[in-house]
Amino acid sequence: MTDAGHRVGGGPRRGTGQDLGNQVEGYLLWRARIAEAEQRAREFTRRMDWLTTSQRDEIERHYVDDSLRRARQDLERVAARAVSLRGEYERRYRVLRARCAGWTLAVCGGAAFLAAAVSLGR
């Protein structure tokens, strides 16, 4: 795409509405991930009724920290894979585009040659 928000071979430009939208969406998704981790931590410690309040808080904090660390690692792996796939698809697209351009030139050249040969043969 080459519209105002995209560059060929790149993502959204800095300062565009789409970039801001992506940042807001990422923030909201991360906040939801935090809330989910906190809820799961509370559910985890709820079964341990022998814990003191400070022990429960500490276990919940460690649980949330571990969950968020793992979530961040997962997101980084997904982002790295997306970048890798994008590069791979862009390379394939360039090859396909060059191949299509070559075939188009060959067909047009052949048709022009054939037309010239037919007109000279008359």
Side-chain angles (χ1 to χ4, degrees):
M1 252 191 236
T2 58
D3 65 337
H6 290 83
R7 289 174 277 143
V8 173
R13 292 181 182 164
R14 283 285 191 218
T16 64
Q18 185 172 1
D19 187 43
L20 178 61
N22 288 339
Q23 289 178 5
V24 169
E25 181 182 16
Y27 173 79
L28 293 174
L29 287 171
W30 189 249
R31 293 305 304 171
R33 181 70 64 140
I34 291 170
E36 178 186 342
E38 291 170 344
Q39 177 62 32
R40 290 176 58 200
R42 282 189 296 275
E43 291 171 2
F44 178 73
T45 58
R46 186 175 299 135
R47 294 175 277 172
M48 301 177 202
D49 53 358
W50 64 88
L51 294 173
T52 65
T53 302
S54 64
Q55 290 172 328
R56 184 179 312 277
D57 290 343
E58 185 174 351
I59 289 173
E60 287 178 6
R61 186 178 52 79
H62 284 294
Y63 189 101
V64 169
D65 290 345
D66 183 62
S67 294
L68 295 178
R69 182 182 52 78
R70 289 172 189 259
R72 180 176 294 277
Q73 290 171 344
D74 291 343
L75 289 172
E76 288 171 352
R77 276 194 297 274
V78 168
R81 181 65 178 144
V83 168
S84 170
L85 285 173
R86 181 183 188 102
E88 183 179 334
Y89 286 132
E90 286 175 350
R91 283 188 296 279
R92 287 184 183 188
Y93 176 73
R94 281 192 300 272
V95 169
L96 180 62
R97 188 175 53 194
R99 190 178 301 156
C100 287
W103 277 105
T104 301
L105 288 174
V107 168
C108 288
F113 178 77
L114 186 61
V118 167
S119 68
L120 288 177
R122 286 185 182 183

